[in-house]
Amino acid sequence: MTADLQKGRMGPRACLLGLLALFVAGKCSYSPEPDQQRMLPPSWVSLGRADPEEELSLTFALRQQNLERLSELVQAVSDPGSSRYGKYLTLEDVAELVRPSPLTLHTVQKWLLAAGARNCHSVTTQDFLTCWLSVRQAELLLSGAEFHHYMGGPAETHVVRSPRPYRLPKALASHVDFVGGLHRFPPISTLRQRPEPQVPGTVGLHLGVTPSVIRERYNLTAQDVGSGTTNNSQACAQFLEQYFHDSDLAEFMRLFGGNFAHQATVARVVGQQGRGQAGIEASLDVEYLMSAGANISTWVYSSPGRHESQEPFLQWLLLLSNESALPHVHTVSYGDDEDSLSSAYIQRVNTELMKAAARGLTLLFASGDSGAGCWSVLGRHRFRPSFPASSPYVTTVGGTSFQNPFRVTDEVVDYISGGGFSNVFPRPSYQEEAVAQYLSSSPHLPPSSYFNASGRAYPDVAALSDGYWVVSNHVPIPWVSGTSASTPVFGGLLSLINEHRILRGLPALGFLNPRLYQKHGEGLFDVTRGCHESCLNEEVEGQGFCSGPGWDPVTGWGTPNFPALLKTLINP
């Protein structure tokens, strides 16, 4: 038990034991995640009940304070028209603002102490507490929970989860947002390797997307690389036993990095980097972040979910809340269906993303690889938005293809590019004009019953997502596709722009969306052709939204024209 937990003071011990007794009896309790979907995801199978003495690591999200003020500050530091633009908060500033009340800290700590929790660790902002308990203790603490072993996914990952909802004492209703490590199963990568397109003859044609193709299409010269003289840095995150190998990165740069200055090693790995086989997604993230954001120091956040009760994405959020000095740009290829997440969880994660925006971090998330998505509600089809792509505090990246897959041509929609409208978050003010314009002018809108027209619309931008070369486990692999590819590319180019800003004594770009929408996509190639996929039924026949002039919910404002985007974003 940490010193903080041991020294917390909160009333007579009899009250605590009484509270625990009430809880164990199942009385006066509430469920913080009543809407958490508990259907077993496809490909996961139960291996039976967990041993009562098995150790679990659970994360308790403590209720934060001053969230309205935090939202106001994010808007102020991200809006170029504000006097506070670029004056980002430090981690300590954020902690001072959102730190749970003394009553919350003491109540939760005493409750866990009485339950036998041990080896508890907090974060700088004190709004998360991760503790170890036995299965027996956890099931007593979290009434209704019943822990089972599960196996699933391509790598036959093992996790411990509860298929049943949990309840907390009502006395904790105002102190705990949710408990992590019970319900959410690891999402499966949607990255895919497509068949090679067949065209007659190959003279003068490229054979897939490589760094040189990226640099040609987006108008980068050999001089568009990091200077190596600033404290500029960028990062990507890898989850679910996905690892990169240094040798793969070195081979990738040897094959494809000969015409621009670059770094061939990762500067820092945060977390545990496994020794197993490299994952294609992790290899792709690192290789294209470091070739687009060439010669810039790169970190990799590795949250493999080694312990079966951990949630890797949640672990990444905790890392952000515990480090004062972080890279300016973070790219993440991760997402879940909004409807598969509890309201408590999705709102709290959104707050964590808001905290990052307040600190001036640029977070880019892949928009997903299922187009508009599709699900059935009471027998009626609807599109299925993805989170965190739908968060109003991240920049979401969609995907495009070359009009001619073997030539560096104009881009069209990649039919898998995720996009749509959130069913959880209302449309933020920064995109009001752009989205209203699309909804009023698009000639190809799906039926209104399929989407929430008043929700946060995404993506915000796009980049090529089709036909990449990746080196993984010493093998060059062609035709890898997904928004997991477009996201690190766009992130790397933003890192190059940060390099110019830092050299001029300007702050890093920070949360990009308010500026991006104010500029109406200036500096981006507008993608106006193509639609993405959706429900395969008679009403929409597999077609979701379509791109058009200006912003659209398939490719956002478009893809980067680097010199023009640099000119747009270099000014204060």
Side-chain angles (χ1 to χ4, degrees):
M1 190 69 64
T2 61
D4 282 342
L5 255 179
Q6 290 173 328
K7 71 185 181 184
R9 297 180 178 178
M10 184 62 193
R13 182 173 178 81
C15 290
L16 289 167
L17 295 176
L19 174 64
L20 190 60
L22 272 176
F23 167 68
V24 171
K27 299 175 183 177
C28 302
S29 62
Y30 86 107
S31 176
E33 299 188 82
D35 49 347
Q36 173 65 50
Q37 181 178 341
R38 275 168 282 279
M39 290 178 60
L40 191 63
S43 83
W44 288 89
V45 296
S46 173
L47 304 179
R49 290 286 298 270
D51 187 301
E53 302 310 315
E54 183 173 346
E55 295 287 297
L56 297 174
S57 169
L58 298 179
T59 298
F60 299 83
L62 278 59
R63 186 68 50 83
Q64 299 152 315
Q65 301 190 96
N66 303 313
L67 297 186
E68 286 189 12
R69 177 58 180 157
L70 180 64
S71 176
E72 292 169 359
L73 287 170
V74 169
Q75 186 170 345
V77 300
S78 307
D79 180 358
S82 165
S83 60
R84 289 208 56 164
Y85 178 66
K87 298 176 182 177
Y88 304 126
L89 278 65
T90 65
L91 177 59
E92 291 68 28
D93 293 334
V94 172
E96 189 67 28
L97 197 63
V98 306
R99 181 181 293 118
S101 69
L103 178 61
T104 290
L105 292 170
H106 292 164
T107 301
V108 175
Q109 289 171 356
K110 289 292 189 179
W111 172 61
L112 291 172
L113 184 65
R118 56 201 167 278
N119 296 328
C120 291
H121 299 280
S122 187
V123 293
T124 301
T125 47
Q126 294 184 261
D127 47 6
F128 284 107
L129 197 58
T130 300
C131 297
W132 288 87
L133 304 96
S134 69
V135 167
R136 187 194 312 276
Q137 290 169 327
E139 290 181 349
L140 280 173
L141 186 73
L142 307 171
S143 176
E146 185 181 279
F147 289 93
H148 292 243
H149 280 275
Y150 294 91
M151 181 180 72
E156 297 189 336
T157 304
H158 287 253
V159 299
V160 175
R161 295 291 186 269
S162 171
R164 303 170 73 177
Y166 65 95
R167 294 188 301 277
L168 300 179
K170 279 190 176 178
L172 288 166
S174 61
H175 302 301
V176 176
D177 287 333
F178 71 89
V179 183
L182 279 91
H183 294 321
R184 285 161 288 278
F185 283 80
I188 305 303
S189 172
T190 56
L191 199 66
R192 59 187 83 176
Q193 188 176 9
R194 294 181 185 167
E196 179 178 342
Q198 300 299 313
V199 295
T202 58
V203 177
L205 306 179
H206 69 78
L207 298 177
V209 175
T210 64
S212 62
V213 170
I214 293 286
R215 297 178 79 83
E216 180 181 350
R217 168 57 188 157
Y218 297 143
N219 292 322
L220 282 83
T221 69
Q223 286 69 49
D224 290 318
V225 296
S227 66
T229 62
T230 71
N231 63 351
N232 191 16
S233 57
Q234 57 190 359
C236 58
Q238 57 189 29
F239 310 114
L240 314 177
E241 298 291 350
Q242 280 272 339
Y243 307 111
F244 78 95
H245 285 176
D246 288 321
S247 57
D248 288 337
L249 176 60
E251 177 66 7
F252 177 85
M253 290 301 187
R254 186 187 71 79
L255 290 172
F256 302 119
N259 60 352
F260 57 91
H262 60 265
Q263 298 182 11
T265 57
V266 167
R268 181 178 174 189
V269 175
V270 182
Q272 296 176 316
Q273 169 71 353
R275 298 181 179 178
Q277 281 204 326
I280 293 180
E281 184 150 350
S283 303
L284 171 75
D285 287 344
V286 173
E287 289 164 8
Y288 280 90
L289 180 62
M290 293 185 67
S291 55
N295 210 35
I296 290 174
S297 177
T298 302
W299 297 18
V300 173
Y301 282 84
S302 184
S303 304
R306 278 281 182 76
H307 193 271
E308 294 178 346
S309 61
Q310 287 180 336
E311 296 180 37
F313 180 65
L314 190 56
Q315 298 304 308
W316 175 73
L317 290 174
L318 266 63
L319 287 170
L320 294 189
S321 280
N322 217 27
E323 286 238 18
S324 294
L326 292 171
H328 300 301
V329 173
H330 296 252
T331 74
V332 187
S333 303
Y334 165 90
D336 273 307
D337 297 322
E338 273 189 350
D339 59 272
S340 73
L341 302 168
S342 74
S343 176
Y345 176 84
I346 205 170
Q347 293 291 350
R348 176 56 186 265
V349 170
N350 191 55
T351 298
E352 297 308 304
L353 302 173
M354 180 165 56
K355 285 162 57 179
R359 297 172 62 189
L361 304 183
T362 303
L363 302 185
L364 294 101
F365 276 81
S367 69
D369 299 334
S370 302
C374 185
W375 66 318
S376 179
V377 185
L378 300 176
R380 292 190 61 83
H381 287 94
R382 293 197 69 183
F383 295 158
R384 197 173 201 180
S386 176
F387 179 80
S390 64
S391 167
Y393 295 106
V394 305
T395 299
T396 305
V397 186
T400 61
S401 304
F402 282 126
Q403 189 170 329
N404 179 329
F406 285 97
R407 292 189 183 278
V408 180
T409 59
D410 290 343
E411 293 160 75
V412 296
V413 168
D414 186 348
Y415 68 92
I416 57 91
S417 178
F421 296 78
S422 174
N423 290 321
V424 176
F425 302 106
R427 185 189 306 166
S429 58
Y430 60 73
Q431 64 171 191
E432 182 67 44
E433 179 186 348
V435 177
Q437 173 66 25
Y438 175 81
L439 292 173
S440 65
S441 62
S442 175
H444 304 293
L445 278 182
S448 60
S449 61
Y450 277 71
F451 65 100
N452 173 29
S454 64
R456 151 54 163 153
Y458 69 96
D460 305 296
V461 293
L464 285 163
S465 57
D466 185 22
Y468 279 68
W469 280 90
V470 180
V471 175
S472 189
N473 298 303
H474 310 291
V475 178
I477 302 170
W479 304 109
V480 175
S481 301
T483 53
S484 297
S486 55
T487 306
V489 166
F490 207 101
L493 300 190
L494 292 181
S495 291
L496 293 180
I497 294 173
N498 272 337
E499 184 86 357
H500 285 268
R501 289 179 62 87
I502 292 168
L503 288 170
R504 291 189 178 197
L506 299 171
L509 286 168
F511 175 43
L512 186 63
N513 290 9
R515 183 168 190 158
L516 183 71
Y517 283 81
Q518 283 183 23
K519 293 289 187 179
H520 298 93
E522 190 178 329
L524 299 166
F525 291 119
D526 196 4
V527 180
T528 59
R529 295 183 57 187
C531 309
H532 63 184
E533 62 186 359
S534 72
C535 301
L536 290 170
N537 62 356
E538 291 183 1
E539 194 168 18
V540 297
E541 298 180 333
Q543 181 173 294
F545 297 98
C546 296
S547 62
W551 179 90
D552 59 69
V554 191
T555 60
W557 287 107
T559 63
N561 177 5
F562 183 74
L565 189 60
L566 174 63
K567 184 178 179 181
T568 298
L569 298 179
I570 192 62
N571 296 320

